[in-house]
Amino acid sequence: MARVLICYGTSEGQTATVAERMGDVVDGEGHDVILAHLKHPPGELEPDSYDGIVVGASIHGGSHQRYVGSFVRDHLETLNRRPSAFFSVSLTAAHDDPDERAPAAELLEEFLDETGWNPDGTLAVAGALKYSEYGLLKRFVMRRIAGRASGDTDTSRDYEYTDWEDVEAFAREFTTLLRADA
Ligand SMILES: Cc1cc2nc3c(=O)[nH]c(=O)nc-3n(C[C@H](O)[C@H](O)[C@H](O)COP(=O)(O)O)c2cc1C
């Protein structure tokens, strides 16, 4: 049994939900999982005390949460030594057209370049439009963006684009890596 840290940054909660689903899969494979929101970590997080680390972040205004970048930079040596994986949640990743989806992969790579992290696995995950949780301005902005992209502009409901099978497969693959490393 390995100890696995799954930590993330989130602004509207979808990355937390993705992290929880990954946690369920890793836990189901018999490992010990700790989930942590990097904006409010439970005391001092010590990634070095885990056998594997998964980090997630979402994209807002073209970049991932800064505090996730800081966490990765602070623990770079550990992350590059232990089995590790990074997932990035965005609306761009929800596009069907690979050309439209490409910027999500580019931003993911940019995050890794900027931090110097070399994770064993990466995944660009389609996120959600949570109109019900946005304030007036955010709702207006996101409605305009969605109008140009998916056309999902009915602000009386939320939209979720996350491919849960992909998320679960990614988590299962990570447990394979843990077994290989043990
Ligand atoms: C104000 C705002 C700005 C956003 N900017 C981007 C963006 O630049 N690119 C993108 O692909 N998605 C963008 N999104 C979509 C989010 O990445 C998506 O809603 C994701 O599910 C958010 O994850 P979170 O709930 O974990 O923060 C934006 C969303 C909001 C609300």
Side-chain angles (χ1 to χ4, degrees), residues 77-90:
E77 194 268 328
T78 300
L79 286 166
N80 278 334
R81 183 163 37 88
R82 292 275 152 83
S84 69
F86 176 58
F87 67 95
S88 160
V89 179
S90 68

Side-chain angles (χ1 to χ4, degrees), residues 10-15 58-62 89-92 127-128 142:
T10 185
S11 303
E12 285 90 34
Q14 190 67 10
T15 309
S58 60
I59 297 177
H60 288 75
V89 179
S90 68
L91 277 191
T92 309
M142 292 314 290

Side-chain angles (χ1 to χ4, degrees), residues 15-34:
T15 309
T17 309
V18 172
E20 279 161 23
R21 183 67 71 95
M22 288 186 183
D24 287 345
V25 171
V26 175
D27 178 82
E29 296 281 330
H31 302 294
D32 205 2
V33 177
I34 297 291

Side-chain angles (χ1 to χ4, degrees), residues 2-154:
R3 269 166 57 79
V4 180
L5 173 65
I6 303 182
C7 54
Y8 54 87
T10 185
S11 303
E12 285 90 34
Q14 190 67 10
T15 309
T17 309
V18 172
E20 279 161 23
R21 183 67 71 95
M22 288 186 183
D24 287 345
V25 171
V26 175
D27 178 82
E29 296 281 330
H31 302 294
D32 205 2
V33 177
I34 297 291
L35 285 165
H37 187 336
L38 289 172
K39 197 169 187 184
H40 312 286
E44 190 60 33
L45 262 186
E46 289 181 25
D48 203 29
S49 64
Y50 294 87
D51 304 303
I53 304 137
V54 179
V55 179
S58 60
I59 297 177
H60 288 75
S63 56
H64 296 90
Q65 283 87 5
R66 268 191 206 185
Y67 58 86
V68 180
S70 300
F71 171 83
V72 169
R73 271 186 283 269
D74 286 350
H75 301 285
L76 193 57
E77 194 268 328
T78 300
L79 286 166
N80 278 334
R81 183 163 37 88
R82 292 275 152 83
S84 69
F86 176 58
F87 67 95
S88 160
V89 179
S90 68
L91 277 191
T92 309
H95 281 286
D96 290 331
D97 179 348
D99 285 345
E100 301 255 32
R101 216 166 48 225
E106 285 162 16
L107 287 172
L108 188 157
E109 284 304 322
E110 210 172 275
F111 178 87
L112 299 180
D113 281 350
E114 281 171 10
T115 53
W117 183 19
N118 248 316
D120 300 291
T122 60
L123 183 69
V125 183
L129 268 175
K130 297 189 176 176
Y131 288 120
S132 64
E133 293 175 26
Y134 302 156
L136 219 60
L137 180 63
K138 221 185 235 187
R139 196 176 307 159
F140 177 74
V141 170
M142 292 314 290
R143 187 176 188 277
R144 286 194 58 165
I145 292 174
R148 287 197 295 271
S150 60
D152 291 335
T153 54
D154 177 359

